[in-house]
Amino acid sequence: MTNQQQPSPDPDGEAPDRPLTLAVLRRLVRADWSRLPGDTLVVLSRDAEGNLFSPFSTYSLSRYAPTHSELVGDVFPRPEQLAKDRELRELFGDSIPDTAVPALVLYPLG
């Protein structure tokens, strides 16, 4: 008797409430992220405690600026995101630092 898994309703594992698998990460690197410039900063979101581990779940293409120290900062929308979204423009206005650089931001599950 074989142990067969039922088909997943999200075969790529990209649901925001589920951890991403290595297969999905490989596809993201090959396809979705392959055209990003090589000097794009990769930023990890810390968990609430700042010292626990959590599976990788989602990502965003944003801008990052160190605001509290060299190692800690904030994430801001990209110019094209601001151009398309009035609420983002109202929320961020002129508060995005000149030091903000393009970043691939990785978020943990939970």
Side-chain angles (χ1 to χ4, degrees):
M1 179 180 214
T2 61
N3 187 6
Q4 294 184 349
Q5 291 182 327
Q6 294 296 318
S8 169
D10 181 28
D12 291 330
E14 295 177 325
D17 60 345
R18 294 173 49 185
L20 293 181
T21 64
L22 181 56
V24 173
L25 182 60
R26 286 177 177 148
R27 185 184 54 76
L28 288 168
V29 169
R30 280 194 309 266
D32 295 21
W33 301 341
S34 66
R35 290 180 294 282
L36 294 175
D39 61 351
T40 300
L41 186 63
V42 177
V43 176
L44 301 177
S45 173
R46 294 199 299 186
D47 60 82
E49 276 59 75
N51 59 2
L52 299 176
F53 298 92
S54 181
F56 169 42
S57 178
T58 59
Y59 72 94
S60 69
L61 299 176
S62 302
R63 290 187 285 175
Y64 169 82
T67 55
H68 307 291
S69 73
E70 284 291 315
L71 302 176
V72 180
D74 289 320
V75 174
F76 302 94
R78 296 175 294 148
E80 54 270 25
Q81 292 169 311
L82 290 171
K84 292 179 183 178
D85 191 325
R86 182 178 56 82
E87 288 183 35
L88 281 178
R89 287 191 303 275
E90 290 174 3
L91 180 63
F92 287 95
D94 295 328
S95 67
I96 299 174
D98 292 337
T99 56
V101 296
L104 172 62
V105 183
L106 308 179
Y107 295 97
L109 182 67

